[in-house]
Amino acid sequence: MSIKYIFLVSRQGKLRLAKWYTTLTPKEKSKTIKEVSQIVLARRPKQCNFIEHRDTKVVYRKYASLYFIAGIDLDDNELLTLEIIHRYVEVLDRSFGNVCELDLIFHFQKAYFILDEMVMAGELQESGKGTVTRVLAQMDEAEDKENAERGWADINLEGVAKTAMLTVQEFKQSFSR
Amino acid sequence: MFEKSLTDLIQGLRANKRNEADYIQKSLEEIQSEVQQSDMYCKSTAIDKLNYLHMLGYDTNWANFNAVEVMASPRFGEKRKGYLAAAQSFHQETDVLMLATNLIRKDLASSNAMEVSVALDGLAQVATPELATDLFDDVAAVLGHSRPFIRKKALVCLYRLVLKHPEGLHALAPQLRERLDDPDPSVVSSAVSVICELARTNPHNYLPLAPRLYQLMNSSTNNWMLIKIVKLFASLTPIEPRLAKKLHGPLSQLICSTSAMSLLYECIHTAVVGDIIGVPLPVTDSVGREIDFAELCARKLVLFYESADHNLRYVGLVTLAQLQARRPELVVNQYETVLKCLDDPDLSIRMRALSVISGMATRRTLDRTVKRLMSQLILSNTIRLQPVASLPSVGTTEYSCKYNGDAADSDLIALATDATGASLVSARGSIVQSRQLTAAGPGPADSPEYRLLVVEAIVDMCTRQSYANLSNFEWYVAVLVDLVYSAGVDVGQLLSEKLLDVTVRVRQVREFSVRLMRQMLSDSQLASRAISGSSAAKVLCTAAYILGEYCSLLPANSEDIALLLPKCLDKLDGEQQATFIQAAIKAYTNWLRDVAGYWSTEIWELVRAVTASTMSQLSDLLLAKTDDNALSGNSAVAELPLQVSSRLRHFVEITKAVSVATSNPSESAPQLCLELHELFTAYELNPVSVAAQGKVPQPDGLDLDSPIGGPIPDTEHIMFPPPPPVSSEPRQRASQSGSGRKQRRGQKNEPFYLDGGDDVRHSHSLAELPDVDDIPVVQLDLGGQGSENATKTRSKKKKTRTKDGAAKRERRRRVQTPSPPLAPVDIAGDEDMPDVSAPLPQPQSQQTSPAQQ
């Protein structure tokens, strides 16, 4: 399948995510994005989801206001690529809970992390939705834990607790309740 | 404490849509100071914000070093942000990547599986050849990790590294084989994916894995992986034909049983591309009958391209084209269906259908296919064709009745909806093209690429295998002429080549062709579009040639001469003008010969009149430029091209001769008028086969292989002692002087190249002459003084050279290609040779000879 790139653009042509699996210069990248999204946005709903652009086949699918666009080799399986895109959307949906464009704008890193768990170097490395979400949950948990610890470390707990006439432990507990 | 978070930035951006640029500029300044802070939290937030801005297209490379700092953070969340930034914004030239090598190595060896995972993700994305070489072993070590998701990522990451560091492939291959037996199915799946990608470039290495893959194919139910395995076999079967037989069973079973369209598509694709359909074994279809495998594939394909889903139609046609390339007879009965796809509103599907249908063309279907395609060209929105009412239609009606009888009414709509396509022009006399966009906007038939493809497909279908599909050449010429009008894209070159080809090669069609060409030339609308380089100009130029060359096939007409000296002539480029004038000469002489056959006083007057008017036209053409120049005072720039003015002068001379010969009324035609045309018809131009030269027997004793004369020797080393030896120096010098020599020799052939004094002289090398002793010049008695002087200077020079001379010369000789022994002929000794070689002292030749032996 060897995906060359995946990117997401909104209906207005704004880039929401871009991942490259081939080595290109920044100039080539932005040129490709510009050209491909222009063609894709001009397509009408009744047309098929494949376009030939230079030496790549572009496979795209529209979900609500977002276009998911992938570039693949000419002899690759277009239908499979469509299914990968769909699988990605399913996992996004599962992790965000009814995902919408705003989710992807504000949590774009998360969208990248999910993509990384599914596709690597242009290869679909995990097709199971369960496994992807499990690994992601684990990672997020680790990050949350660090953040929580940092939160307490930044504040002078001793002093604050004293003024509140509580022990440090009670003070922490009062927040977690 | 008071920095903006990522959410703040994005919200701010959305709130400041009006002055986004200002806002981003301000934010960038803030971020610039934030990334400098020592607090890692602040730094990582800044990097996160930069990530977002990078996606919007802003340059963030200045923060690359800070991104590496964040990657080094001990906290997982921050590390992850750092790696994301690296993956997004680093590229092959990013210099800080060198700093990251150790950092990534440390993360790969981490006991925390998540850190390893992040490092693998990042490395796969940013890998450069250096990183790949340095870290290959570290990643390979992770392959034995206890967590399957790490093993899987390590495999894919190794694939990526191998692309940058091909030497790693030897180490990777056994690992891949081992991972095919991994207990975790997704690791196996990843291994299959990687093998599939690698086998595309070098299938031989992976042939030993075939048994295990075959086993997996029969046991697995994972469609994702099955597709990969099937694809992998598509690259293996061409190099191992026995595999095809083996795959025949399971593949046909998969095709019959699977409900997943993507898998079905892949199976059929592999069966076709891997030529498994060629295995002479029957398969049992769903009803229990035994049929051919290829037939099964063809039947299953119908599911695709008759589907309501556009995507399935598209891939169906793609596969059909592949099937067609191997088994054309299976595809032919799908003609009607594919013809329907040709009118699909979707351009991608249309183009695919076009390629299939053009492959399907036969004698029987050609006519219908071409008509359908022509009607697409004519009925599009941007190109509107209108018939012109009053036109001098030269004998067109008979053809219109013959070829396009039903389109003879004057109503354009009726004509267009009839969509009979071909011969519109011959029916109408002419058709004007005007560009008008209707409210519906451009349709798929308006896309220039599509139109170009259609024109090419039509021409290809008609001309394939030396016109094997054609039954009526006149129809074909009419189609070509119609294309000139209706193509709407720049295909002038193609069309004129084809017009010329068919007219020259097919004798029967010439007369008809000449008629149509005359008609095209008399079309003022077409002429108005003919400017240098345009499509119309190229076609008209060819039309002029054809009319001139074959004008004797039609009743001679003095109008032809004026037709071939049109007003638009000065808009064409030189070569085209010359073609027109040459054609006009032919037409004129032909007409003269013709009228000389029934000579009378009236004819005499007519010849006088036509000759006079032609002369005035010619002098106009000749003088027009001069007048312009006189006015603008710029005579150097715009002169008539040489070939044009030469042809014009020829023509003027011919008309002068004719007017002299016909100065007095005579009873019989002057001999001149009868014979002038012989100038052009004495020898008939015939098409010559490409292979014709091969049929001429080669005379005995003709050696075409040995070069005429030898290469010119290089005297550079004698005149200029080479610099002190550097190891690579001689090689370089040898190649330099070699190319220089080649250039000089090329220049010598040019008439304007002045064979220059010193420069060339120095570059001849006496040392390179193989047999200096044999040169007869040595024995010439040149008398005392000159040679003495020369010896003196030479011996001086020699002193500087003798020390390292021999060794160096030998090295030089090794790198130079051995040339055949030179006969001392005048190529070596052209005018500048003697004065260098004559005073050659004897020691010199002795010195060089040992090195040669």
Side-chain angles (χ1 to χ4, degrees):
Chain A
M1 105 202 66
S2 196
I3 300 168
K4 292 182 179 176
Y5 53 78
I6 292 182
F7 59 86
L8 270 60
V9 284
S10 69
R11 203 164 33 196
Q12 289 79 31
K14 283 249 183 351
L15 190 66
R16 294 300 179 212
L17 177 146
K19 192 91 189 167
W20 298 85
Y21 299 110
T22 47
T23 326
L24 290 175
T25 63
K27 212 176 193 175
E28 291 166 326
K29 288 180 185 175
S30 58
K31 195 175 164 212
T32 310
I33 292 183
K34 204 172 158 197
E35 287 178 0
V36 171
S37 48
Q38 220 162 35
I39 305 172
V40 168
L41 289 174
R43 303 274 293 178
R44 272 173 267 166
K46 271 196 173 175
Q47 298 180 323
C48 76
N49 297 28
F50 317 124
I51 321 158
E52 277 149 61
H53 175 256
R54 307 238 179 107
D55 59 340
T56 11
K57 207 170 262 181
V58 177
V59 178
Y60 71 94
R61 190 164 225 172
K62 194 183 174 198
Y63 289 90
S65 58
L66 268 185
Y67 286 89
F68 288 67
I69 302 170
I72 57 171
D73 277 334
L74 281 181
D75 55 347
D76 267 327
N77 192 326
E78 302 90 344
L79 298 178
L80 184 68
T81 314
L82 269 186
E83 285 182 37
I84 292 173
I85 291 178
H86 188 68
R87 185 53 62 97
Y88 178 46
V89 175
E90 279 177 343
V91 177
L92 282 177
D93 213 37
R94 195 184 263 208
S95 344
F96 283 104
N98 231 340
V99 67
C100 67
E101 195 184 335
L102 273 184
D103 287 330
L104 294 185
I105 294 173
F106 282 102
H107 304 281
F108 72 97
Q109 320 104 303
K110 199 171 170 188
Y112 276 114
F113 296 145
I114 294 174
L115 189 60
D116 277 345
E117 287 310 311
M118 296 182 64
V119 181
M120 198 174 152
E123 300 294 328
L124 178 79
Q125 46 136 341
E126 182 56 67
S127 54
K129 282 179 267 188
T131 323
V132 174
T133 34
R134 242 191 335 271
V135 172
L136 277 168
Q138 205 181 358
M139 289 183 169
D140 290 342
E141 200 182 311
E143 192 176 348
D144 289 345
K145 207 168 135 203
E146 282 167 8
N147 283 345
E149 275 167 15
R150 184 214 319 278
W152 299 120
D154 284 352
I155 306 166
N156 179 2
L157 277 184
E158 294 280 322
V160 179
K162 207 175 267 175
T163 48
M165 286 187 293
L166 292 166
T167 62
V168 171
Q169 189 121 41
E170 281 168 332
F171 182 72
K172 276 188 180 177
Q173 272 171 0
S174 69
F175 277 88
S176 55
R177 248 179 247 144
Chain B
M1 274 293 133
F2 302 102
E3 300 90 11
K4 273 189 242 156
S5 71
L6 175 65
T7 319
D8 295 336
L9 174 80
I10 298 171
Q11 271 170 348
L13 265 177
R14 292 170 72 79
N16 290 285
K17 281 214 169 102
R18 291 276 168 74
N19 45 359
E20 204 179 84
D22 290 345
Y23 184 79
I24 288 179
Q25 200 50 49
K26 227 171 73 196
S27 308
L28 276 173
E29 279 161 22
E30 286 169 18
I31 293 169
Q32 239 156 11
S33 68
E34 281 166 30
V35 289
Q36 306 295 342
Q37 288 188 22
S38 59
D39 178 26
M40 197 48 95
Y41 180 72
C42 182
K43 208 187 272 270
S44 70
T45 312
I47 288 293
D48 231 7
K49 289 192 270 187
L50 274 182
N51 263 343
Y52 189 78
L53 294 179
H54 179 265
M55 193 160 66
L56 296 184
Y58 289 86
D59 179 32
T60 59
N61 278 330
W62 48 269
N64 281 346
F65 178 72
N66 307 96
V68 175
E69 282 182 317
V70 176
M71 278 161 76
S73 160
R75 291 200 178 89
F76 173 69
E78 286 159 7
K79 189 181 281 298
R80 185 152 81 149
K81 284 174 186 164
Y83 270 105
L84 178 63
Q88 289 307 108
S89 61
F90 285 14
H91 47 88
Q92 295 290 296
E93 281 81 42
T94 304
D95 39 5
V96 293
L97 269 175
M98 297 306 285
L99 301 174
T101 314
N102 272 320
L103 170 66
I104 299 175
R105 183 172 286 149
K106 206 180 102 221
D107 286 336
L108 285 172
S110 163
S111 59
N112 183 347
M114 288 178 297
E115 284 185 3
V116 183
S117 154
V118 166
L120 287 172
D121 281 338
L123 180 57
Q125 198 72 35
V126 301
T128 60
E130 294 83 30
L131 272 182
T133 320
D134 292 344
L135 292 172
F136 189 85
D137 293 334
D138 299 84
V139 180
V142 184
L143 273 178
H145 202 274
S146 58
R147 297 280 301 268
F149 87 100
I150 298 292
R151 291 204 294 273
K152 170 181 79 185
K153 282 192 176 181
L155 259 185
V156 183
C157 185
L158 279 178
Y159 158 63
R160 185 84 181 131
L161 294 188
V162 162
L163 293 184
K164 301 277 174 190
H165 166 65
E167 291 83 8
L169 203 57
H170 301 294
L172 179 60
Q175 295 283 3
L176 282 172
R177 180 196 295 256
E178 206 175 299
R179 288 303 134 210
L180 280 180
D181 296 323
D182 199 278
D184 187 90
S186 65
V187 179
V188 180
S189 170
S190 290
V192 171
S193 302
V194 171
I195 296 172
C196 180
E197 283 307 313
L198 291 173
R200 275 186 188 199
T201 44
N202 191 357
H204 283 278
N205 288 353
Y206 305 94
L207 211 52
L209 301 178
R212 173 67 185 139
L213 291 167
Y214 183 75
Q215 205 183 339
L216 278 172
M217 181 174 164
N218 284 327
S219 59
S220 174
T221 51
N222 179 354
N223 279 351
W224 303 90
M225 190 165 82
L226 275 175
I227 290 179
K228 280 294 171 187
I229 297 180
V230 171
K231 193 182 250 320
L232 175 52
F233 276 123
S235 22
L236 292 186
T237 37
I239 57 161
E240 176 52 279
R242 281 176 297 174
L243 262 179
K245 213 169 179 181
K246 194 98 171 127
L247 285 172
H248 185 270
L251 212 55
S252 59
Q253 226 163 15
L254 268 179
I255 290 179
C256 287
S257 62
T258 186
S259 59
M261 286 309 238
S262 51
L263 181 56
L264 181 59
Y265 168 51
E266 196 62 58
C267 286
I268 298 179
H269 181 261
T270 296
V272 172
V273 173
D275 204 27
I276 300 170
I277 48 171
V279 177
L281 285 175
V283 288
T284 321
D285 70 353
S286 48
V287 201
R289 273 179 309 147
E290 283 196 346
I291 52 168
D292 189 37
F293 195 7
E295 213 179 315
L296 175 73
C297 290
R299 277 193 203 173
K300 284 282 178 185
L301 269 182
V302 177
L303 282 183
F304 283 92
Y305 57 75
E306 286 194 342
S307 148
D309 185 340
H310 298 269
N311 296 335
L312 294 185
R313 278 221 295 277
Y314 176 83
V315 295
L317 287 169
V318 170
T319 323
L320 198 65
Q322 283 158 346
L323 184 62
Q324 187 185 37
R326 286 167 181 81
R327 300 288 285 274
E329 75 279 3
L330 280 173
V331 182
V332 169
N333 49 9
Q334 306 297 338
Y335 180 75
E336 297 295 329
T337 330
V338 180
L339 205 61
K340 236 183 276 164
C341 290
L342 213 52
D343 283 334
D344 202 283
D346 190 339
L347 195 59
S348 309
I349 294 180
R350 264 195 197 206
M351 288 196 183
R352 287 291 159 181
L354 186 64
S355 74
V356 176
I357 204 117
S358 86
M360 272 182 191
T362 60
R363 222 165 230 275
R364 211 161 40 81
T365 56
L366 180 73
D367 183 40
R368 231 182 115 198
T369 318
V370 171
K371 270 184 185 168
R372 175 70 72 100
L373 290 175
M374 288 297 289
S375 68
Q376 280 190 354
L377 289 180
I378 292 162
L379 287 175
S380 61
N381 286 331
T382 43
I383 310 288
R384 181 137 300 192
L385 300 166
Q386 286 163 351
V388 170
S390 59
L391 258 175
S393 53
V394 191
T396 51
T397 23
E398 50 185 303
Y399 294 103
S400 72
C401 297
K402 200 163 159 193
Y403 299 103
N404 203 11
D406 50 344
D409 54 347
S410 61
D411 188 5
L412 171 74
I413 308 298
L415 172 129
T417 44
D418 271 352
T420 31
S423 298
L424 273 177
V425 181
S426 35
R428 297 278 137 209
S430 178
I431 286 175
V432 182
Q433 177 189 48
S434 69
R435 284 167 185 277
Q436 282 179 343
L437 258 178
T438 55
D446 298 319
S447 143
E449 312 114 77
Y450 180 68
R451 299 184 79 87
L452 184 64
L453 279 180
V454 167
V455 174
E456 283 173 355
I458 292 177
V459 170
D460 176 48
M461 280 187 286
C462 294
T463 54
R464 194 174 299 155
Q465 296 165 349
S466 305
Y467 306 106
N469 291 332
L470 268 185
S471 46
N472 185 342
F473 281 101
E474 298 187 355
W475 172 83
Y476 171 58
V477 174
V479 166
L480 285 179
V481 173
D482 283 355
L483 282 177
V484 171
Y485 287 87
S486 56
V489 279
D490 184 19
V491 286
Q493 185 67 35
L494 176 76
L495 292 177
S496 49
E497 273 169 22
K498 295 300 165 189
L499 275 172
L500 194 60
D501 187 73
V502 72
T503 312
V504 173
R505 285 173 67 182
V506 184
R507 210 174 283 270
Q508 297 88 333
V509 85
R510 276 185 199 160
E511 190 193 333
F512 178 76
S513 177
V514 175
R515 257 181 229 277
L516 281 191
M517 294 306 118
R518 181 190 274 172
Q519 191 184 315
M520 262 206 305
L521 283 166
S522 55
D523 180 357
S524 58
Q525 290 290 339
L526 197 61
S528 69
R529 281 193 281 140
I531 39 168
S532 172
S534 76
S535 180
K538 288 173 195 154
V539 174
L540 282 182
C541 181
T542 307
Y545 174 80
I546 293 175
L547 180 56
E549 183 66 28
Y550 299 113
C551 53
S552 53
L553 296 174
L554 294 186
N557 190 339
S558 64
E559 283 169 20
D560 283 355
I561 307 160
L563 217 52
L564 289 168
L565 296 170
K567 287 194 195 74
C568 65
L569 202 59
D570 55 337
K571 289 187 213 140
L572 306 177
D573 63 32
E575 213 166 305
Q576 291 168 338
Q577 289 184 35
T579 313
F580 265 89
I581 295 163
Q582 183 78 6
I585 304 178
K586 289 180 197 166
Y588 174 68
T589 53
N590 176 51
W591 176 77
L592 273 183
R593 194 202 50 178
D594 190 68
V595 293
Y598 41 96
W599 193 263
S600 67
T601 348
E602 289 91 63
I603 295 293
W604 173 76
E605 274 165 14
L606 188 63
V607 170
R608 294 284 296 172
V610 168
T611 307
S613 76
T614 309
M615 252 174 129
S616 77
Q617 256 178 317
L618 290 175
S619 52
D620 280 353
L621 278 171
L622 259 176
L623 295 175
K625 291 281 179 184
T626 338
D627 286 350
D628 287 351
N629 295 338
L631 284 176
S632 60
N634 189 6
S635 59
V637 181
E639 270 182 5
L640 276 175
L642 273 180
Q643 69 267 45
V644 178
S645 68
S646 127
R647 294 247 158 68
L648 274 177
R649 277 167 220 280
H650 287 167
F651 202 173
V652 170
E653 288 309 315
I654 288 174
T655 49
K656 269 184 194 161
V658 171
S659 72
V660 168
T662 56
S663 53
N664 298 314
S666 60
E667 282 304 303
S668 63
Q671 199 63 21
L672 184 71
C673 295
L674 279 168
E675 282 173 357
L676 258 181
H677 196 57
E678 293 288 308
L679 279 174
F680 306 103
T681 53
Y683 298 99
E684 196 191 354
L685 271 184
N686 279 319
V688 179
S689 156
V690 186
Q693 181 66 45
K695 291 178 181 162
V696 180
Q698 192 175 326
D700 294 336
L702 176 64
D703 183 10
L704 290 172
D705 297 323
S706 64
I708 303 169
I712 300 172
D714 202 337
T715 54
E716 195 170 0
H717 316 298
I718 290 293
M719 300 309 286
F720 298 102
V726 183
S727 60
S728 65
E729 187 75 355
R731 201 175 292 272
Q732 259 177 23
R733 279 188 72 94
S735 67
Q736 271 171 10
S737 68
S739 68
R741 188 168 53 204
K742 217 179 279 168
Q743 200 185 349
R744 274 193 295 280
R745 283 177 74 180
Q747 280 173 337
K748 271 194 176 171
N749 294 334
E750 280 182 40
F752 303 114
Y753 175 64
L754 293 180
D755 201 357
D758 291 343
D759 200 23
V760 178
R761 201 155 303 204
H762 293 321
S763 63
H764 287 269
S765 161
L766 282 183
E768 299 311 307
L769 283 176
D771 289 303
V772 181
D773 304 87
D774 293 350
I775 301 180
V777 184
V778 178
Q779 276 125 40
L780 277 182
D781 182 21
L782 285 173
Q785 278 204 317
S787 79
E788 263 174 35
N789 285 342
T791 324
K792 264 183 202 165
T793 52
R794 192 152 300 278
S795 58
K796 259 187 212 165
K797 277 192 180 173
K798 215 175 63 193
K799 270 179 199 164
T800 60
R801 198 160 28 83
T802 37
K803 284 178 190 170
D804 45 2
K808 216 185 300 164
R809 228 168 292 124
E810 183 156 41
R811 222 178 300 136
R812 191 178 306 126
R813 197 140 292 122
R814 235 181 286 139
V815 297
Q816 266 158 2
T817 51
S819 55
L822 263 190
V825 288
D826 32 358
I827 289 187
D830 58 4
E831 76 288 344
D832 48 321
M833 201 53 202
D835 58 344
V836 188
S837 60
L840 188 73
Q842 209 55 32
Q844 177 66 42
S845 61
Q846 275 168 359
Q847 218 179 37
T848 52
S849 53
Q852 273 153 6
Q853 281 153 9

